[in-house]
Amino acid sequence: MSNRWLLLIVMAGTLCACGYLDHRDVCQACRRPLHEQTAYRITLDNGEVQTVCCPRCGLHVQSGRHDVVSAETSDYPSGRMIPASQAFYVENSSVMLCCSLDKLRRDRSGSQYALGWDRCLPSLVSFEALADARQFEQEHGGVVKTYEQLQSEPDFAQPMILDPGH
């Protein structure tokens, strides 16, 4: 086998591996890194599992869909997945693992700007135990809400369409 073919095979394998890792390690809604403490997982009736970075992205993705079989969210203290419908959520706390509003960014021309909107805001952190949610609320601010309360909010009225490559 020539060196040229070997190089092509290695390059193709590297590209496939990078694409695979990228698909698994980033939110399928906003393309941000996944965090064990805030991940949200949706299972569809065709068996497909969609993992997103936080409950806010998860609730947007599943909103208005009729093919969602189950949804799980991470218990913030343990990182363990729990049924999303049984979790308690703290909305708008000071903890924002997905967001970076305090950082200045640069556009292609080199000009600086501050990000003023973020799809993962207000932050949404989930808990298995109401006592943990209340303690977190006292320490980091925000408001404790249930799954049903969040689903009834106008913010989740329109579904978020995922990148068709996922």
Side-chain angles (χ1 to χ4, degrees):
M1 181 182 280
S2 73
N3 287 339
R4 181 185 223 169
W5 280 107
L6 184 59
L7 179 62
L8 285 173
I9 291 170
V10 169
M11 286 175 53
T14 302
L15 290 173
C16 289
C18 289
Y20 175 73
L21 293 174
D22 180 55
H23 173 72
R24 289 177 29 127
D25 295 339
V26 298
C27 176
Q28 293 182 7
C30 70
R31 308 295 297 157
R32 289 196 172 127
L34 297 178
H35 303 281
E36 182 179 326
Q37 290 179 288
T38 59
Y40 194 97
R41 190 169 44 222
I42 300 163
T43 303
L44 304 178
D45 60 9
N46 66 2
E48 180 184 351
V49 176
Q50 299 176 346
T51 304
V52 294
C53 62
C54 65
R56 179 137 326 261
C57 279
L59 288 167
H60 274 295
V61 169
Q62 76 183 51
S63 176
R65 295 185 69 152
H66 302 290
D67 58 346
V68 175
V69 174
S70 68
E72 297 175 297
T73 188
S74 290
D75 173 46
Y76 184 77
S78 70
R80 191 171 51 82
M81 296 306 281
I82 58 174
S85 61
Q86 296 174 15
F88 298 94
Y89 299 84
V90 177
E91 184 176 53
N92 203 23
S93 74
S94 62
V95 173
M96 299 179 286
L97 295 180
C98 300
C99 310
S100 57
L101 286 181
D102 58 339
K103 296 181 183 175
L104 288 177
R105 297 176 182 227
R106 290 191 185 273
D107 64 17
R108 290 183 181 181
S109 70
S111 299
Q112 287 187 343
Y113 66 95
L115 184 63
W117 174 85
D118 193 292
R119 81 177 75 245
C120 296
L121 288 179
S123 66
L124 200 55
V125 181
S126 52
F127 297 86
E128 183 171 27
L130 179 58
D132 290 342
R134 293 279 184 219
Q135 181 179 349
F136 182 89
E137 175 188 39
Q138 288 180 349
E139 294 173 7
H140 301 284
V143 177
V144 174
K145 294 188 175 183
T146 65
Y147 182 78
E148 291 78 20
Q149 288 172 313
L150 290 168
Q151 284 194 313
S152 68
E153 292 180 359
D155 188 38
F156 299 110
Q158 297 295 320
M160 178 186 289
I161 306 301
L162 294 180
D163 181 348
H166 297 293

